[in-house]
Every structure is written in C-alpha cells, then in structure tokens.
Amino acid sequence: MKKILAAYQKNGFKLKNHIVMAPMTRSRAINNIPNDLMATYYGQRTGAGLIITEGTAPTPEGLGYPRIPGIYNDAQIEGWKKVTSNVHKDGSKIFVQLMHTGRIGHVDNLPAGTTLLGVSNIKAAGQIYTDTAGMQDHSTPVALTTEAIQAVIEGYVSASKNAIAAGFDGVELHAANGYLLEQFLNPNVNNRTDEYGGSIINRARIIIEIADKVALAIGKEKVGIRISPFSVLGDLHPYAEEEVQATYAYLASEMNRLDIQYMHISASPLIPQKTFDAIRSAFLNTIILCNGLTAETAEAQLQNGFADVVAFGRSFLTTPDFVNRIETGEALNQLDFTTLYTPGEKGYTDYPTILKYA
C-alpha cells in the first residue's frame, strides 16, 4: 500500500493521501438543513484526503429525496460551516456535491410551491420513498423551458458561491446516476428540440455552461464533476456504444479546456476500456476512480496509471477509521442496510472504530 497512503499532488491539487470518501446520500438533514449529527459523521471520516459530501440540492426544486441537504439559503450555509470546520481540523479537504435530482423525485419531497422539473416531461419508471406516504411512483416532471434552464444554471452558480461561504474547498457537479445533468446527456430522456437537445454538443451544453460559469465564479481549481458512462440508474435506457463514448470523450475534452480540477468516474462493468482510454487521453487533470474498490484493487489502479486518486463509499460508511485499517489490516465493519436512510444516529455515527478521530 505504498501509493494509496502517500500524499498526492497534481496541478496544484494537494491531498494528504490518494484516498477519497465518495458521496453517499444518508438522509439525515432534517428540514434539508445540515446539522450537528452530520458534522459528527463527516468529522469521524477525516482519514480521507478528500471528502465529497452527499448529494446536495443547489435549489429547492432539486430536493427529490426526503431529508437531503440543500445549499441555497443562509440556514444551510451555517449548518455546513459546522461540517467543513470539523473536516478541516484533520487536514482533509471537502467538496460539496451539487445534485439536482430532476425527474427522480416526488412532489411530496419538495418544499411547498416548488415543481418537479426535468429535461423533458417523461416520467421515470419506478418508485421513490416519501416521509408522507412511504413508497410512491415518481411524479411526472415539468419540462424545463429554454428560459428556465438559465435559472437552473444560475442556481448552480449561486450554490457554488454559498459553498465557498460555508468553508468548502470546492464543488462537485453531479452529472451521473440518472439525475438532471445526466438526463440531459441521455437521448432517450432528452427529447428537446432547442439548443439543449438533439446532438451530443447540444445535450452536453448545460453541463459545460454550468462548469464554465461556476469556474468563473469560484475558481476552476475548485470545480470537479462526477460522471457515470453507460449508467442505467434512474430509468436511463442504453443508447449506442459509439455515441456514449463520443459523448463522454467530448465532455472530457471540454472539461479539460475549462481546466477544472477533477473528473470523478463512477465505474461499472458496462464501461468498455476504450471509453476509459478516451476520457483519460482527453482530460489531463486529476481523475478519481470509484465503485467496488478494495484497498488492494485501488492500489493496483493507482499503480497502473489510469486513476490519480481512488474513492470509496461503503468502506467509509461502515468504517469511519477506514484509512487506519488499511494500515493495520484490520477487518471492516459490516453494513446495516436497514439504517442507510433513516433519521438518527443508528447506522450513521455509531459504527465502531479502532482509532477514533477527533
């Protein structure tokens, strides 16, 4: 484990090791406001060189799930300050993941007076949990107008400024896992006929415009993006392999042109090697690789040169002192699936540690 535990530096991006805590929705933000319990949770996991928060709504319309945090008002900014302060005490960096869920949501999970929005009015199959009535079918989204897309873009810019005010080191744009930005990329969901639909260039336009404007607002070195090529999450239907590869090669080249800090790839067995190669050749800054890694397989990925740093989700969820256990070889804790999204401490801040972080 020589490389994974060593300090990382590239293009001015410095981390105390090559280890990232991946974003994981945990649904503990009562009234969508980060709280002391969340500050404890993140503070327990500062063995990571970089922590990426759970998906956080840039605007009220992005709150598709119950009890997910936002970063669009003063109370949320103040709540997040407790989190960033706890993380910085141990020399870790923290980026907030900006997640607009788009059509993946239900009106019962949204604040009064807001509307479920999507790239189109195509309803997602499947169900989503609500605190009001348990599992319900996804609501039918209202298709964004061309003008309303500008409001979405400005919402990301405003949220990014709020993130810096809250003490974050940067923001990660969530363009993966079937949420709004990936909905734009997928031609089976994006049936638009304006400048945000049709060609690959048009479908990627909103992501590029958001990344550009956010970089201008807070600095390009404070911007990352998460992608999931070939994803079928969120009722995304597959499209031609050649078109998927061309989409992500183009997106990677545009992110490289903007010189943002990193691209975070949610890996899957569906992604062919040539797509990884196309992204790596197009994007010169940091690439974070995530999904299904163990300490051993992550070290191998670092050694073979594709990934610059590696991200872990479940390992950090169950084992706050995961980094120390890489060093000691101690076994990780077992996951309690029943408490993934429940409110309260159980299955959240009560996983045992061998070495407790402050």
Side-chain angles (χ1 to χ4, degrees), residues 335-346:
L335 176 62
D336 178 3
F337 286 93
T338 67
T339 57
L340 284 175
Y341 310 115
T342 55
E345 298 176 5
K346 185 170 175 55

Side-chain angles (χ1 to χ4, degrees), residues 53-131:
T53 73
E54 62 211 274
T56 300
T59 61
E61 292 80 10
L63 292 166
Y65 293 101
R67 289 171 274 108
I68 66 171
I71 191 161
Y72 51 80
N73 65 36
D74 290 341
Q76 292 163 346
I77 293 171
E78 291 305 308
W80 279 121
K81 284 180 180 179
K82 300 174 185 178
V83 173
T84 58
S85 177
N86 265 11
V87 170
H88 286 148
K89 286 177 184 177
D90 288 315
S92 299
K93 288 186 167 65
I94 182 168
F95 276 44
V96 62
Q97 187 189 69
L98 299 180
M99 177 181 77
H100 191 307
T101 60
R103 70 175 188 156
I104 303 301
H106 193 278
V107 292
D108 285 9
N109 292 334
L110 300 180
T114 56
T115 302
L116 193 76
L117 301 173
V119 61
S120 64
N121 64 356
I122 300 173
K123 178 180 177 179
Q127 294 189 315
I128 192 166
Y129 182 81
T130 67
D131 283 336

Side-chain angles (χ1 to χ4, degrees), residues 8 13 15 17-20 50 286-290 293 302 307-311:
Y8 173 75
F13 192 38
L15 304 175
N17 53 42
H18 285 65
I19 300 170
V20 177
L50 170 65
T286 296
I287 285 184
I288 303 172
L289 185 66
C290 184
L293 296 172
L302 293 172
D308 294 296
V309 291
V310 284

Side-chain angles (χ1 to χ4, degrees), residues 172-193:
E172 177 177 284
L173 308 175
H174 196 359
N177 297 0
Y179 299 121
L180 182 65
L181 299 187
E182 191 173 31
Q183 291 164 26
F184 272 89
L185 292 177
N186 189 297
N188 296 314
V189 179
N190 184 346
N191 60 6
R192 304 181 68 90
T193 57

